[in-house]
């Protein structure tokens, strides 16, 4: 089992829960906690330089802003910095994000070894993740389907144009007028309404604001 763990999480209560769970389950005594990415990276660098490296990093992705000046502001930046020094360290992300489109690149680009989605069962899942990662296998919380990230809904230029207009606050009637003015078809209100309704269904959105928020989060508009 892992002997030396670095935990980067900006909520002390979450830190305590994780530390208690790991100590009780694995009897790991050397678990270091940091509330800021910069401090976690500095601790990591010192340990590595002294020949006493960490063999596991557990990190959140989001870190709230505070009065402390920061260079590394997210878990992704911390992972990149750590990987630049030790490409072989095992990394488990422990985060609230449940969107496969956002999670998949963590494995393909950032080369993490496990992903735990914070929730009611996340401490148990973190223990399972550690057991899997220790045996050089990857772990993803059961409720996350990474394969769905490969079935990304494709939107054409017309869809994106309408969505950007909606994001700018235009009504369907105003969008229709703009399309007609620019000689873009189809341009009827009914066609625009059908397009938007289809996007609601495909992205599981409840209303226009929900749809726009989802697409902005995914970096589509």
């Amino acid at each position: 089992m892992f002997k030396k763990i670095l935990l980067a999480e900006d909520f002390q209560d979450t830190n305590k829960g994780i530390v208690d769970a790991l100590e009780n389950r694995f009897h790991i005594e050397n678990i270091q906690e940091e509330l800021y990415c910069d401090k976690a990276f500095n601790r990591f660098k010192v340990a590595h330089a002294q020949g006493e490296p960490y063999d596991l990093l557990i990190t959140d992705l989001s870190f709230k802003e505070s009065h402390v000046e920061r260079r590394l502001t997210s878990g992704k930046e911390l992972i990149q910095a750590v990987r630049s020094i030790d490409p072989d360290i095992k990394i488990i992300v422990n985060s609230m994000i449940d969107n496969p489109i956002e999670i998949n690149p963590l494995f393909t680009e950032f080369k993490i070894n496990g992903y735990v989605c914070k929730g009611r069962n996340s401490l148990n899942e973190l223990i399972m993740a550690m057991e899997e990662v220790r045996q050089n296998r990857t772990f993803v919380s059961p409720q996350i389907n990474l394969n769905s990230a490969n079935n990304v809904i494709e939107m054409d230029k017309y869809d994106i144009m309408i969505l950007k207009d909606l994001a700018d606050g235009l009504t369907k009637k105003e969008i229709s007028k703009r399309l007609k003015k620019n000689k873009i078809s189809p341009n009827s209100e009914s066609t625009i309404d059908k397009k938007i309704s289809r996007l609601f269904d495909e992205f599981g959105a409840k209303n226009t604001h929900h749809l726009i928020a989802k697409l902005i989060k995914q970096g589509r508009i």
Side-chain angles (χ1 to χ4, degrees), residues 91-186:
I91 298 176
I92 296 175
V93 169
N94 186 46
S95 169
M96 290 288 292
I97 294 173
D98 60 2
N99 184 353
I101 294 175
E102 296 181 67
I103 297 170
N104 208 38
L106 297 174
F107 286 93
T108 58
E109 298 175 22
F110 292 83
K111 308 302 180 184
I112 70 168
N113 305 96
Y115 187 90
V116 175
C117 186
K118 289 181 180 179
R120 293 178 180 175
N121 200 40
S122 56
L123 282 178
N124 289 331
E125 289 178 10
L126 181 57
I127 289 171
M128 289 189 285
M130 289 180 62
E131 291 176 337
E132 290 295 298
V133 170
R134 177 177 65 90
Q135 299 181 59
N136 295 316
R137 295 194 292 260
T138 57
F139 176 90
V140 183
S141 288
Q143 68 269 34
I144 305 296
N145 179 14
L146 290 185
N147 291 328
S148 65
N150 297 322
N151 301 319
V152 178
I153 299 165
E154 293 297 330
M155 297 191 299
D156 57 27
K157 292 181 180 179
Y158 185 81
D159 292 332
I160 295 171
M161 183 168 50
I162 290 175
L163 287 167
K164 285 183 176 179
D165 284 345
L166 286 173
D168 289 337
L170 272 66
T171 65
K172 295 171 189 175
K173 185 175 183 178
E174 289 170 333
I175 294 173
S176 175
K177 286 183 177 179
R178 193 184 73 79
L179 292 176
K180 289 175 182 177
K181 181 179 179 180
N182 291 298
K183 297 183 173 16
I184 298 172
S185 57

Side-chain angles (χ1 to χ4, degrees), residues 1 34 57 90 105-106 122 146 168 206 217:
M1 182 44 68
E34 287 295 350
L57 167 66
K90 303 294 186 183
L106 297 174
S122 56
L146 290 185
D168 289 337
K206 298 175 183 177
K217 185 176 181 181

Side-chain angles (χ1 to χ4, degrees), residues 47-104:
H48 191 273
Q50 292 177 343
E52 299 175 351
Y54 292 93
D55 44 14
L56 174 65
L57 167 66
I58 301 173
T59 181
D60 198 347
L61 292 177
S62 301
F63 289 78
K64 288 194 173 183
E65 293 185 14
S66 71
H67 64 282
V68 177
E69 186 176 346
R70 301 180 299 167
R71 188 176 65 85
L72 301 176
T73 61
S74 70
K76 286 183 180 180
E77 293 179 0
L78 174 61
I79 292 169
Q80 286 181 309
V82 165
R83 278 270 182 255
S84 68
I85 294 176
D86 185 355
D88 299 320
I89 187 175
K90 303 294 186 183
I91 298 176
I92 296 175
V93 169
N94 186 46
S95 169
M96 290 288 292
I97 294 173
D98 60 2
N99 184 353
I101 294 175
E102 296 181 67
I103 297 170
N104 208 38

